[in-house]
Structure formats: structure tokens, C-alpha cells
Amino acid sequence: MLAFLPILSLIINALGTALPLIPGVSPTIAKTATDLAMGLVGLLGGIVPGQTKSADVIAALSGAMTLLTVLKTDTSIAPDKLTLINNLIAEIQAAIIAYVSAGKGFDPTAYAPIAMV
């Protein structure tokens, strides 16, 4: 399950590094995004397989969502790119909900028999 962490670290690090190089991104947004990316990469590096660190995973996903939310405030970003950012934020929110739900284990009250067709 933790196999996705190196990939997530690379994506966040790349986003934080590339953002200041994108024309039209304001220096304030670029600095904030870079700082958040560095913090997230450090947080992800502290997650050790075999230890329960669900709060760290949720914090990393929340940090990625915060990074995208800050990026979204830049008024120079094209509307089609804003749509992509909004979609990614929604996907991260869904991932957090799914991660929390998966950690609760099997709950038989959440399931019902399938109706015959």
C-alpha cells in the first residue's frame, strides 16, 4: 500500500520545482507552492513501512490539496487548467475519504443484499 509514496513524492517535488518556471505564475504563488512541496516531501519521507502512519498519509494528501488550492488562486491560470486543478482537488478529497473508510475495516451494516433482477 505504501508503494505509491515514492511516486507521490516525485510528483509533489516536480510540481514544486516546475511551478516557478511556468510563465504567468506569480512569485508569491510559486514560493508558497514550493514551500508546501518541500514540507510534503519531508513528511512523506518520514513514513516507514510496517508502522501505522495513517495521519501522515492524510496529511500528505491534504497538503497536496492545499498546494493545488493555493495554485488555483493565481488569476493568470487559464480556465481549462483551473478545471483540471478543481478535478484533481476533488479526486484528492475522494482519496482521503476512501483511505479513512478503508482503515475502518469491514462494517456489515454498510452492506445490503443485492435485489434479484
Side-chain angles (χ1 to χ4, degrees):
M1 183 169 126
L2 295 176
F4 75 95
L5 292 178
I7 295 168
L8 185 59
S9 294
L10 285 172
I11 292 169
I12 292 170
N13 196 20
L15 181 61
T17 303
L19 199 56
L21 304 175
I22 298 172
V25 175
S26 71
T28 304
I29 296 294
K31 170 100 173 82
T32 303
T34 303
D35 291 346
L36 282 169
M38 294 298 190
L40 282 174
V41 169
L43 178 67
L44 290 174
I47 297 175
V48 178
Q51 296 179 0
T52 57
K53 297 269 191 162
S54 61
D56 287 344
V57 172
I58 292 171
L61 290 171
S62 297
M65 190 167 59
T66 302
L67 179 66
L68 290 167
T69 302
V70 169
L71 178 62
K72 185 171 94 165
T73 63
D74 193 341
T75 56
S76 65
I77 295 176
D80 62 325
K81 303 301 184 227
L82 285 175
T83 301
L84 293 172
I85 291 170
N86 286 330
N87 290 343
L88 190 51
I89 289 171
E91 292 298 325
I92 292 172
Q93 288 172 334
I96 292 171
I97 292 168
Y99 187 83
V100 171
S101 296
K104 292 179 182 175
F106 177 71
D107 180 10
T109 62
Y111 298 93
I114 299 174
M116 296 294 288
V117 179

